Amino acid sequence: MIGNTTGTKKRHRIATNSRLSSTAAIIDSSRPDGTLTEVSHKPLPSSSSIRRSTTRHHPPLPLAPTVSNGFNDPTTADVILRLYLDQSSPFDSDDSETQLAVDSSSEFQIYLHSSVLRRSKYFAALLSDRWKKDSGEIDYYRFNLAVTSSSVNNSVSNSINNHVTVLQLLYNNDLSSAIDTASTALELLPIALELLFEDCVTACVRYLEAVPWTEEEERTVLSLIPLLREEESAELLARVSPPKSDLSEEMLHGLILTAIHNHPNMAFAKAFVAKLLRDFSSRESARRVLDKSFETSLNVVKESLEEYSSPEVFRGEINEMEAIQRLNLHTAMTNGRHLLWLIERMIELRAADTAVKEWSEQASFTANLQRAFRDDAWRNMVPGLPSVVMRCTCKLANAVAAGVILASRQVRMKLVKDWLPVLIVCKDNMTPMLTNHKSLYLELEETFLKIISTLPMSEAQELLQQCLSFSTRNVEDCPHLVSAFTTWFRRANRQLQGDHYQLS
């Protein structure tokens, strides 16, 4: 905000920022003797450590250090700039007796050169022909430049020093040497924008484009971007603004594919991606990404089993046929493991509804699995394939039985109907050495029986008849099967009389 400088040209920006409105220059033409006009001060924020006395005496203004390049050289200068603290603050105390003052170190009198100041379009406007120098023994332009701290947490001395630094940079052609940290660039950029010091703005933006930021620095960058021209802010915006709305989902999907397919340390990569999924802000986005990955892996497993089970694929030499069989089974095995990991993540996030529905609609896939597992070829090629496929089924079925996934009656019925025959084939063709498969199959038996108990009695009757294969030589060894039939017969013997059910 400029006082008494109606001819000042403003730098056209996208928006204004109240943080930058604290700098003001005043042409000190009211005093014919060339002295500085006294400026009244409002109290500083109560957090300031600089105390004020009750007297209004102003000590002599200190001078900024003189440097060899001409900055603050009174022997050659033709501009006197008073740089002082503007104490206007929204945090002023309501107590009129509470006063805070500025230490003399918060004000500087600086000798500058109009030829250098014209690098700033702001000063170039002030130095235009319409403004005349003060009368007196020495011809000087006299300006007052008011400064407030850029934030509540920024110290007064830092704010003053940053303004002095920007003024010094007017004398420096190598601006990059003074901008060596992101925090420095962010401190100088608002001042350079206010003074319309284009070279400094460019240097600050160029530095910020090239270095990492802390989270706090990124917030500051975002607050300054609206003040930059479109071409200046393009690179900064590209870093923090997604070019499309689904970029996060695209990134997550790519990470999942890399973790399960290409990363050499697959276990570590999967653990890291699992954490990203747990911590992801949008559960719906994570669900969509997992659904997409699940469908991809499931299709690969299904196609591999289809090719393995299709007779026309194996026309040719015996060696060639065996190689194709082995390749298809290994492909199914590898992607089956990926599928299991995805299902675990989906259940963990309670986002497996679509997966359960999809798994319950695999009549063709389960038929191919039954044909494949009745063949002995898988035993030597991929002995763990039945376990991987049935673990996927068990994970989903357990989530349904436990109420983690609220599946419809139709989905529950089809899940058991399609996958129960696969379980029976796996049990019948189980290798005695693979005892861990036995516990898996027993767990799945119990889970299927729990789901059957949630179905209408007519559907439960049909499915329970297929569960006789769960029985063992000793009836006492299959209590889950005994309990399931006991429950069904208890319900079957219950008759409705009037408005009440009674046991027959």
Side-chain angles (χ1 to χ4, degrees):
M1 183 168 57
I2 304 174
N4 299 332
T5 56
T6 56
T8 301
K9 298 178 182 178
K10 282 292 184 179
R11 188 173 195 256
H12 296 290
R13 294 286 170 186
I14 297 173
T16 59
N17 189 326
S18 60
R19 292 180 56 175
L20 305 181
S21 63
S22 59
T23 305
I26 304 174
I27 302 300
D28 192 3
S29 58
S30 62
R31 300 296 297 270
D33 58 355
T35 59
L36 296 173
T37 302
E38 182 178 357
V39 179
S40 62
H41 298 287
K42 294 182 180 179
L44 280 171
S46 59
S47 60
S48 173
S49 61
I50 305 175
R51 295 294 173 183
R52 184 180 193 178
S53 62
T54 56
T55 179
R56 297 182 63 82
H57 170 69
H58 289 271
L61 298 181
L63 299 179
T66 302
V67 293
S68 59
N69 62 5
F71 175 79
N72 201 35
D73 182 0
T75 62
T76 59
D78 62 346
V79 176
I80 296 177
L81 177 68
R82 175 175 173 256
L83 192 65
Y84 69 96
L85 179 67
D86 181 0
Q87 299 177 68
S88 300
S89 170
F91 300 98
D92 287 344
S93 171
D94 292 334
D95 186 356
S96 60
E97 296 183 358
T98 302
Q99 293 182 330
L100 301 168
V102 183
D103 185 83
S104 61
S105 62
S106 297
E107 299 189 13
F108 291 95
Q109 181 171 288
I110 308 174
Y111 290 90
L112 302 168
H113 301 77
S114 59
S115 60
V116 175
L117 289 181
R118 283 188 171 89
R119 289 185 71 186
S120 158
K121 293 180 181 179
Y122 178 86
F123 284 115
L126 296 179
L127 291 165
S128 61
D129 291 341
R130 68 182 300 172
W131 301 108
K132 304 298 182 182
K133 298 180 183 179
D134 292 339
S135 60
E137 185 177 342
I138 302 176
D139 288 339
Y140 284 121
Y141 293 97
R142 292 182 178 273
F143 302 142
N144 289 340
L145 191 61
V147 179
T148 60
S149 63
S150 59
S151 67
V152 175
N153 294 324
N154 194 18
S155 69
V156 171
S157 60
N158 280 345
S159 187
I160 292 286
N161 289 338
N162 291 337
H163 279 75
V164 172
T165 299
V166 172
L167 292 171
Q168 286 179 312
L169 289 178
L170 288 166
Y171 287 78
N172 191 347
N173 290 325
D174 183 17
L175 300 183
S176 60
S177 62
I179 305 172
D180 54 3
T181 65
S183 60
T184 299
L186 291 171
E187 288 169 354
L188 301 185
L189 180 56
I191 303 168
L193 286 167
E194 185 70 14
L195 298 182
L196 304 178
F197 184 6
E198 301 292 349
D199 291 341
C200 188
V201 171
T202 301
C204 290
V205 171
R206 183 178 180 184
Y207 187 87
L208 290 171
E209 289 172 357
V211 299
W213 311 323
T214 65
E215 186 175 352
E216 179 62 31
E217 288 168 348
E218 182 167 320
R219 283 195 289 267
T220 305
V221 169
L222 289 172
S223 71
L224 293 175
I225 281 177
L227 304 175
L228 298 170
R229 297 191 183 99
E230 183 177 354
E231 64 272 16
E232 291 170 336
S233 63
E235 291 296 326
L236 301 179
L237 277 172
R239 186 191 298 196
V240 297
S241 302
K244 49 188 177 180
S245 59
D246 60 347
L247 191 63
S248 292
E249 293 184 18
E250 184 180 302
M251 179 65 162
L252 270 182
H253 185 247
L255 289 173
I256 289 174
L257 293 180
T258 300
I260 65 179
H261 290 295
N262 301 323
H263 203 279
N265 295 320
M266 188 178 295
F268 297 154
K270 283 182 174 180
F272 181 77
V273 173
K275 174 175 172 53
L276 289 180
L277 288 167
R278 286 194 300 271
D279 298 342
F280 198 64
S281 57
S282 172
R283 185 58 55 87
E284 284 304 312
S285 292
R287 179 195 298 271
R288 285 193 292 269
V289 170
L290 287 168
D291 285 344
K292 182 178 179 181
S293 302
F294 173 85
E295 184 177 358
T296 301
S297 292
L298 177 58
N299 286 337
V300 173
V301 176
K302 289 165 59 177
E303 289 170 5
S304 299
L305 264 296
E306 176 68 28
E307 292 178 7
Y308 175 81
S309 304
S310 177
E312 46 278 1
V313 172
F314 302 123
R315 292 173 181 171
E317 298 292 333
I318 294 179
N319 291 338
E320 179 184 354
M321 179 180 67
E322 184 176 345
I324 294 175
Q325 285 180 316
R326 188 180 298 274
L327 176 62
N328 286 326
L329 288 177
H330 275 285
T331 301
M333 179 69 177
T334 300
N335 284 274
R337 287 174 177 155
H338 302 334
L339 203 57
L340 178 59
W341 181 82
L342 290 168
I343 288 172
E344 290 172 344
R345 302 288 73 75
M346 297 169 97
I347 293 173
E348 182 180 32
L349 298 178
R350 303 181 75 92
D353 307 68
T354 303
V356 168
K357 187 175 185 299
E358 187 77 15
W359 204 252
S360 70
E361 298 173 348
Q362 300 301 327
S364 176
F365 178 41
T366 53
N368 286 332
L369 285 171
Q370 292 176 65
R371 284 193 292 270
F373 294 156
R374 288 191 180 100
D375 188 357
D376 289 336
W378 64 268
R379 298 179 187 274
N380 297 323
M381 297 179 184
V382 283
L385 180 58
S387 174
V388 169
V389 174
M390 298 317 290
R391 283 187 190 282
C392 292
T393 307
C394 191
K395 292 285 184 182
L396 293 172
N398 276 332
V400 170
V404 175
I405 301 171
L406 299 180
S408 67
R409 177 189 64 82
Q410 185 71 8
V411 169
R412 298 196 306 273
M413 186 273 293
K414 291 181 65 178
L415 181 66
V416 177
K417 183 177 182 180
D418 285 353
W419 287 95
L420 179 57
V422 181
L423 172 60
I424 293 171
V425 171
C426 287
K427 284 189 60 178
D428 293 342
N429 293 273
M430 181 177 61
T431 302
M433 297 294 291
L434 300 176
T435 54
N436 60 325
H437 289 192
K438 183 176 181 180
S439 60
L440 168 64
Y441 299 154
L442 180 60
E443 179 183 0
L444 193 50
E445 287 179 8
E446 295 174 349
T447 304
F448 277 165
L449 290 172
K450 289 178 182 177
I451 294 175
I452 290 172
S453 72
T454 70
L455 300 175
M457 291 197 63
S458 58
E459 294 177 354
Q461 178 181 358
E462 177 186 349
L463 294 174
L464 280 175
Q465 291 176 4
Q466 300 178 48
C467 293
L468 279 179
S469 61
F470 297 174
S471 60
T472 58
R473 180 177 300 177
N474 187 347
V475 177
E476 302 300 326
D477 292 338
C478 51
H480 57 298
L481 187 62
V482 173
S483 175
F485 276 99
T486 300
T487 298
W488 188 90
F489 278 111
R490 184 183 68 244
R491 292 172 178 174
N493 291 331
R494 186 175 292 136
Q495 296 179 353
L496 181 61
Q497 294 185 357
D499 293 334
H500 303 283
Y501 282 103
Q502 294 184 355
L503 290 176
S504 57

